[in-house]
Amino acid sequence: MNAENRPPDPRHQRPEGVTDTTVEALGALSKALETTERARGALYAFHQLTGSADLALDDAVRLLREAEHGAQADRVEREILGRNVIPGHWTFQIVEEYDSTYYEVFRTAEQEIRGRLAEGRDHLYEAEMKEARRTRGHPDHTAD
């Protein structure tokens, strides 16, 4: 059998007895987790951008002092430099709390549910969509 007509890899084939609704539900769960991954990336971007801004304040303070604006430099040092972004927390602590109280719980639940309902097989919904949409016989539309 040539590559153009080969069926999808077994790890992307629906296990026997798994219904359409289960595949759809697992696809929705996977999509939600992927959205959470994006949110987590945005949170890390927030963490890094806020940290970079805080470090850039060193230059602002230095330049304010060089320009003989000591009171303004003092204010930046006192009120902004090293400030908590929410009470009691820097951004790294927000990232850690998000990871431990939400992200890891979500990721673990998705893996366990997929394991129980589909023998751990991932992206069944997408694999079936690929199989339905590919052009048979076209070299850029192979199953694998």
Side-chain angles (χ1 to χ4, degrees):
M1 181 178 294
N2 64 25
E4 296 165 0
N5 296 319
R6 199 174 340 185
D9 184 312
R11 65 192 172 111
H12 287 125
Q13 291 179 23
R14 175 191 307 213
E16 190 172 319
V18 175
T19 66
D20 290 347
T21 305
T22 298
V23 169
E24 189 175 353
L26 291 172
L29 184 60
S30 175
K31 182 178 180 180
L33 179 60
E34 290 169 3
T35 302
T36 298
E37 294 281 4
R38 291 178 60 204
R40 185 172 181 250
L43 187 58
Y44 272 86
F46 164 74
H47 161 60
Q48 292 175 348
L49 289 168
T50 302
S52 294
D54 191 71
L55 291 173
L57 289 174
D58 293 338
D59 285 339
V61 167
R62 178 184 55 76
L63 291 167
L64 284 167
R65 290 200 193 291
E66 285 179 16
E68 299 182 6
H69 303 296
Q72 288 76 17
D74 290 345
R75 181 177 182 190
V76 171
E77 282 183 327
R78 181 179 64 250
E79 294 181 18
I80 305 170
L81 189 71
R83 183 181 182 92
N84 291 330
V85 294
I86 62 172
H89 293 82
W90 270 24
T91 58
F92 77 90
Q93 293 167 302
I94 296 169
V95 168
E96 288 175 351
E97 290 297 315
Y98 179 85
D99 279 352
S100 66
T101 62
Y102 187 78
Y103 173 74
E104 288 297 332
V105 173
F106 194 157
R107 192 171 66 85
T108 299
E110 188 274 341
Q111 287 175 339
E112 289 174 357
I113 291 167
R114 187 169 28 86
R116 180 178 181 110
L117 299 180
E119 299 176 6
R121 296 179 191 178
D122 201 7
H123 295 109
L124 292 176
Y125 184 82
E126 292 90 337
E128 290 184 5
M129 184 187 315
K130 176 183 178 180
E131 186 63 16
R133 295 176 63 84
R134 72 188 184 100
T135 303
R136 301 239 183 296
H138 191 290
D140 292 332
H141 290 229
T142 58
D144 50 350

